[in-house]
C-alpha cells in the first residue's frame, strides 16, 4: 500500500512538472505571438506609407505626362527645359518602380507574419490541449491517491 502511495506521489509530481513545463511553453508562445502582432502592425503602417508614396509618384507622373514632350519639341520650346523634363520623368519612373518593389516586399513580409502567427496559434492550441490533458491526468492521480490513502 505504501508502494502504491509512493507511486501515486511520483505520478502526481510528474504531472505537476509537465503542467509547469507546458505553462512555460504557453508563455513563450504568447510572447512570440505578441511580437509577431507588433511586427505585423508596424509592417501594415509601413505599407500604408508606401501606398501613399506610390500614389504621389503616380500623380506626379500623370501631371508631368500632361505636358507632352513631343508637343514641346514641335512647338520649338527650349531644349534645356525639355531635357530637364525628360530627366524629371526618368526620376519619377525610377522612384515609382522602387516604391512598388518596396511595397511588394512589405506585402510579402506581411504574408509571412500572418503565416507565422497562424503557426504559433496552432501551436498554442495544441499546448492548451496538452495542458488540459495533463490537468486531467493530475486530477486522476490525485483521486487515485486519495482512494489508496483511505
Amino acid at each position: 500500500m505504501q508502494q502504491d502511495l509512493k507511486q501515486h506521489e511520483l505520478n502526481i509530481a510528474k504531472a505537476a512538472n509537465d503542467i509547469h513545463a507546458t505553462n512555460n511553453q504557453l508563455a513563450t508562445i504568447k510572447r512570440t505571438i505578441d511580437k509577431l502582432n507588433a511586427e505585423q502592425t508596424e509592417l501594415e503602417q509601413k505599407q500604408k506609407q508606401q501606398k501613399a508614396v506610390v500614389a504621389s509618384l503616380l500623380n506626379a507622373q500623370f501631371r508631368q505626362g500632361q505636358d507632352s514632350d513631343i508637343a514641346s519639341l514641335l512647338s520649338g520650346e527650349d531644349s534645356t527645359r525639355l531635357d530637364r523634363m525628360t530627366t524629371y520623368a526618368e526620376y519619377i519612373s525610377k522612384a515609382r518602380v522602387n516604391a512598388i518593389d518596396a511595397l511588394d516586399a512589405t506585402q510579402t513580409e506581411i504574408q509571412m507574419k500572418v503565416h507565422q502567427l497562424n503557426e504559433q496559434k496552432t501551436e498554442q492550441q495544441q499546448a492548451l490541449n496538452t495542458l488540459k490533458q495533463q490537468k486531467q491526468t493530475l486530477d486522476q492521480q490525485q483521486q487515485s491517491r486519495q482512494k489508496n490513502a483511505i
Side-chain angles (χ1 to χ4, degrees), residues 64-79 81-83 85-86:
Q64 196 271 336
Q66 288 180 334
D67 298 330
S68 172
D69 294 336
I70 295 174
S72 298
L73 182 63
L74 292 176
S75 70
E77 282 191 33
D78 185 15
S79 65
R81 180 182 181 283
L82 185 59
D83 288 343
M85 295 306 287
T86 302

Side-chain angles (χ1 to χ4, degrees), residues 24-129:
N24 287 341
Q25 180 186 9
L26 281 168
T28 301
I29 292 170
K30 185 181 180 329
R31 284 191 299 273
T32 303
I33 287 173
D34 290 344
K35 180 183 173 194
L36 288 171
N37 278 327
E39 289 173 357
Q40 182 180 359
T41 300
E42 188 177 307
L43 285 170
E44 287 170 350
Q45 287 295 326
K46 183 178 177 181
Q47 181 184 39
K48 186 177 180 182
Q49 293 169 350
Q50 289 171 333
K51 284 181 179 181
V53 168
V54 169
S56 174
L57 289 170
L58 287 172
N59 186 25
Q61 192 171 22
F62 174 75
R63 282 185 281 122
Q64 196 271 336
Q66 288 180 334
D67 298 330
S68 172
D69 294 336
I70 295 174
S72 298
L73 182 63
L74 292 176
S75 70
E77 282 191 33
D78 185 15
S79 65
T80 56
R81 180 182 181 283
L82 185 59
D83 288 343
R84 189 174 62 242
M85 295 306 287
T86 302
T87 302
Y88 180 64
E90 288 174 6
Y91 169 77
I92 290 174
S93 180
K94 286 178 185 176
R96 180 180 51 85
V97 168
N98 290 338
I100 290 172
D101 288 345
L103 181 60
D104 285 344
T106 301
Q107 287 174 333
T108 300
E109 280 186 79
I110 289 172
Q111 289 173 349
M112 286 174 33
K113 295 296 178 199
V114 167
H115 180 70
Q116 289 173 339
L117 269 169
N118 288 336
E119 285 179 343
Q120 288 296 312
K121 287 179 181 178
T122 300
E123 187 176 339
Q124 183 183 39
Q125 187 59 48
Q126 290 172 347
L128 286 169
N129 291 340

Side-chain angles (χ1 to χ4, degrees), residues 1-13 137-150:
M1 195 164 161
Q2 258 186 341
Q3 187 68 11
D4 286 345
L5 191 57
K6 183 179 178 181
Q7 186 61 42
H8 287 299
E9 290 295 329
L10 290 173
N11 291 341
I12 289 170
T137 301
L138 178 62
D139 289 342
Q140 290 170 354
Q141 292 296 331
Q142 287 173 337
Q143 289 172 1
S144 179
R145 180 186 66 184
Q146 286 175 351
K147 286 179 185 177
N148 282 347
I150 296 177

